């Protein structure tokens, strides 16, 4: 094994480990990219300024509007009380006796409408806690329930979702957020149905074993006394939970009180912006943009592109702007400090976009190294079907980085062109490639070091030891099974 290849493997391992230990990727990505460069014998300063930073800048330039508008939309939906109103409405209609289904649907509707999963977690957790306690469902299942509704089928599978994971493939493949809608719906149903079935069965098993909503804290090991091993495990759980991002260090009780003070919003008014995001986006990319003349885009001043290259991004931008305007117009007096809400959402978009862009820069550096050819050949040689190779590379990189968008971006930056050429040469629809790429990003990304997992556990006041097993089933195992099903169906029937 060459020193360059060892450097790549070492830097990837350190990226995963140190990110889990809480070190910000803005520092990690360039340092570890340069470590790999150093071990490969490449020029470090030139690599940083001429490879890393241009890749970071290109990603930020392309996707910053989506991060910005998504963060603002999530914030105004939160402070206006609209997010809580939607959750309350779903719970009221489904009923406390179906608490798991109600919470999954509430989270799903909010995230499908473009509300940030972090906003959803804060808004829904108090409701979930009350429902689960009333129904006698163990509290340890709350994180997996919120995870299922927030970062599985609505993040990667359902056609039209404005999630960044569904937007990133568009510029690479000339597709839009509604790519392969039939396959996306099938994948979404597998994730939703499989996840809910697992959680309901798991709840029944735990309740039958005598577990209640929140078991009393026992002094000592088991019923008689705690041993050193138990204490060490609990200490590790606390340490892992404490390493959540700054936003997640807010104590659950304070967050609950904050959310419960939200204004009361009529449910129809709360749902309106969600409907507009999806409906307007669909109308733009399927009807409005195709009927307009965009020949000017072929000019050098506009990048010499076609409407298919930008329609996917444009549609989400316009839909989010319209929905933000609707939330503000309908809830101006409820929000109170409109300027503060918009400013807070704006600032909240900066760290996520630059975290992901830094990971893209890291991927560009790794892809530029000579030793990467060995990795590329191994990935592309896994299968003659580019869908399989693509699914593998995105899943592995998402798992290493602990980020769905980061792993997908690294894979596409390094291999996107090759995957597109392979698909076109084999007559595989690029819409199918888009959907497989998006779904692949939502598999191994939810490993224990994932920021969303750590934040969710912190919001719920639970540890990895208590709840991660169930998160892994609904956010890793079931999505990967749905991915396999989509690859098989797409390979047999094509895109639909």
């Amino acid at each position: 094994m060459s020193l360059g290849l060892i450097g790549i493997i070492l830097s990837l391992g350190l990226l995963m480990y140190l990110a889990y230990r809480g070190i910000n990727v803005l520092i990690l990505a360039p340092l570890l990219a340069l470590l790999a460069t150093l071990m490969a014998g490449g020029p470090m300063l030139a690599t940083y300024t001429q490879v890393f930073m241009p890749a970071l800048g290109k990603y930020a330039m392309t996707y910053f509007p989506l991060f910005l508008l998504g963060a603002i939309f999530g914030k105004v939906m939160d402070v206006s009380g609209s997010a809580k109103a939607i959750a309350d409405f779903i719970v009221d209609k489904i009923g406390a006796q179906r608490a798991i289904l109600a919470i999954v649907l509430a989270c799903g509707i909010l995230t499908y409408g473009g509300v940030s999963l972090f906003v959803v977690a804060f808004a829904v957790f108090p409701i979930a806690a009350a429902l689960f306690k009333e129904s006698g469902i163990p509290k340890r299942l709350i994180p997996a329930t919120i995870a299922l509704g927030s970062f599985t089928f609505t993040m990667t599978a359902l056609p039209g979702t404005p999630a960044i994971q569904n937007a990133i493939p568009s510029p690479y493949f000339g597709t839009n957020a509604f790519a392969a809608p039939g396959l996306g719906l099938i994948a979404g149903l597998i994730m939703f149905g499989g996840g809910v079935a697992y959680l309901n069965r798991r709840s029944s098993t735990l309740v039958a074993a005598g577990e209640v909503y929140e078991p009393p804290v026992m002094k000592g090991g088991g019923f008689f006394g705690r041993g050193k091993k138990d204490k060490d495990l609990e200490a590790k759980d606390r340490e892992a939970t404490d390493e959540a991002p700054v936003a997640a260090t807010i104590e659950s009780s304070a967050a609950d009180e904050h959310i419960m003070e939200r204004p009361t919003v009529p449910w129809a008014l709360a749902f309106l912006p969600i409907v507009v995001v999806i409906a307007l986006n669909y109308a733009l990319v399927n009807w409005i943009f195709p009927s307009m003349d965009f020949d000017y885009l072929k000019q050098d001043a506009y990048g010499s592109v076609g409407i298919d290259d930008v329609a996917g991004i444009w549609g989400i931008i316009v839909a989010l702007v319209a929905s933000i305007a609707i939330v503000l117009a309908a809830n101006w007096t409820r929000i109170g400090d409109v300027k503060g809400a918009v400013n807070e959402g704006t600032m909240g978009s900066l760290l996520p976009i630059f975290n992901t862009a830094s990971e893209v820069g890291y991927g560009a550096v790794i892809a530029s190294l000579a030793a990467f050819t060995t990795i590329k050949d191994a990935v592309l040689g896994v299968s003659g079907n580019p869908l399989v190779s693509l699914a593998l590379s995105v899943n592995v990189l998402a798992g290493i980085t602990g980020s769905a968008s980061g792993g997908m971006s690294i894979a596409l930056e390094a291999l996107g062109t090759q995957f597109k050429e392979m698909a076109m040469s084999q007559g595989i629809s690029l819409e199918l490639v888009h959907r497989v790429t998006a779904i692949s990003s939502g598999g191994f990304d939810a490993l224990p070091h994932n920021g969303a997992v750590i934040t969710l556990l912190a919001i719920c006041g639970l540890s990895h030891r208590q709840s991660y097993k169930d998160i892994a089933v609904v956010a890793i195992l079931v999505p990967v099974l749905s991915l396999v099903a989509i690859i098989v169906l797409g390979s047999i029937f094509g895109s639909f």
Side-chain angles (χ1 to χ4, degrees):
M1 185 180 294
S2 69
L3 186 60
L5 186 57
I6 293 174
I8 292 176
I9 296 172
L10 177 62
S11 71
L12 286 172
L14 287 173
L15 178 63
M16 180 168 60
Y17 174 74
L18 294 176
Y20 176 65
R21 300 303 298 176
I23 299 178
N24 195 288
V25 74
L26 287 174
I27 298 295
L28 284 179
L31 288 179
L32 294 176
L34 295 181
L35 172 64
T37 302
L38 176 64
M39 295 184 69
M44 295 177 65
L45 286 176
T47 297
Y48 178 67
T49 61
Q50 306 306 118
V51 180
F52 182 92
M53 288 306 299
L56 180 153
K58 180 182 177 182
Y59 182 90
M61 178 182 69
T62 301
Y63 297 109
F64 179 66
L66 303 189
F67 279 86
L68 172 66
L69 295 172
I72 293 174
F73 180 60
K75 189 62 184 178
V76 296
M77 284 289 288
D78 175 24
V79 298
S80 68
S82 298
K84 183 176 180 299
I86 290 172
D88 286 337
F89 175 81
I90 298 299
V91 168
D92 180 62
K93 295 302 179 184
I94 300 297
Q97 71 277 12
R98 297 185 182 89
I100 290 174
L101 176 61
I103 295 303
V104 171
L105 285 175
C107 293
I109 289 173
L110 287 168
T111 50
Y112 187 47
V115 181
S116 161
L117 68 90
F118 297 107
V119 171
V120 171
F122 275 116
V124 172
F125 170 68
I127 301 169
L131 274 182
F132 277 45
K133 190 170 186 178
E134 178 183 345
S135 303
I137 300 173
K139 181 182 179 182
R140 70 159 81 182
L141 295 181
I142 292 179
T145 304
I146 294 177
L148 175 59
S150 299
F151 46 92
T152 60
F153 58 95
T154 59
M155 184 178 81
T156 64
L158 295 188
T161 177
I164 188 68
Q165 292 79 6
N166 191 38
I168 289 173
S170 294
Y172 292 93
F173 305 125
T175 50
N176 60 58
F178 293 88
L183 290 170
L185 286 173
I186 292 172
L189 287 173
I190 293 173
M191 294 183 205
F192 173 78
V196 170
Y198 167 79
L199 289 173
N200 282 328
R201 183 170 182 178
R202 174 78 165 143
S203 173
S204 300
T205 301
L206 292 174
V207 171
E211 185 166 340
V212 294
Y213 171 74
E214 193 163 15
V217 177
M218 295 178 290
K219 303 193 176 198
F223 289 98
F224 302 103
R226 287 184 305 172
K228 182 177 183 303
K229 183 178 180 181
D230 296 315
K231 293 178 182 177
D232 290 343
L233 285 171
E234 291 176 7
K236 288 180 181 178
D237 288 337
R238 286 194 299 272
E239 183 182 349
T241 302
D242 289 342
E243 286 165 355
V246 174
T249 61
I250 302 173
E251 293 186 2
S252 296
S253 58
D256 299 351
E257 180 181 352
H258 171 68
I259 294 297
M260 297 308 290
E261 292 175 351
R262 293 304 188 215
T264 301
V265 181
W267 67 266
L269 190 62
F271 271 99
L272 180 60
I274 302 292
V275 174
V276 169
V277 167
I278 305 301
L280 182 56
N281 186 15
Y282 183 84
L284 286 167
V285 300
N286 288 283
W287 302 328
I288 299 175
F289 289 155
S291 68
M292 299 174 66
D293 181 9
F294 291 105
D295 285 343
Y296 62 85
L297 288 175
K298 298 177 183 178
Q299 300 175 24
D300 291 341
Y302 301 106
S304 301
V305 298
I307 183 59
D308 290 341
D309 297 312
V310 294
I313 301 292
W314 284 10
I316 297 176
I317 289 174
V318 175
L320 284 173
V321 168
S323 296
I324 291 169
I326 289 173
V327 177
L328 293 178
N331 300 283
W332 191 271
T333 56
R334 294 187 181 92
I335 294 175
D337 185 9
V338 173
K339 181 180 71 174
V342 173
N343 286 345
E344 192 172 341
T346 299
M347 297 306 296
S349 69
L350 298 181
L351 185 58
I353 178 66
F354 280 102
N355 275 345
T356 306
S358 292
E359 291 173 340
V360 172
Y362 170 86
V365 171
I366 299 299
S368 72
L369 302 178
F372 182 74
T373 302
T374 303
I375 298 175
K376 180 174 69 175
D377 291 343
V379 170
L380 296 177
V382 167
S383 170
N385 187 337
L387 299 178
V388 175
S389 298
L390 177 61
L392 176 65
S393 61
V394 173
N395 260 297
V396 169
L397 287 168
I400 290 172
T401 60
S403 167
S405 56
M408 181 201 305
S409 298
I410 291 173
L412 292 179
E413 186 69 23
L415 299 168
T417 301
Q418 288 92 327
F419 285 130
K420 181 177 180 179
E421 291 174 353
M422 288 173 64
M424 294 179 68
S425 67
Q426 296 182 31
I428 297 175
S429 167
L430 292 180
E431 288 203 358
L432 173 58
V433 175
H434 175 125
R435 188 56 53 206
V436 168
T437 303
I439 295 173
S440 298
S441 74
F444 289 174
D445 70 307
L447 290 173
H449 61 289
N450 174 272
V453 170
I454 295 173
T455 302
L456 180 57
L457 290 171
I459 291 171
C460 298
L462 294 163
S463 68
H464 280 76
R465 185 186 179 195
Q466 292 169 305
S467 299
Y468 182 72
K469 171 187 173 182
D470 301 305
I471 294 175
V473 172
V474 302
I476 298 179
L477 178 59
V478 176
V480 168
L481 291 176
S482 75
L483 172 62
V484 172
I486 294 311
I487 291 176
V488 171
L489 289 173
S491 298
I492 296 174
F493 301 106
S495 177
F496 58 90

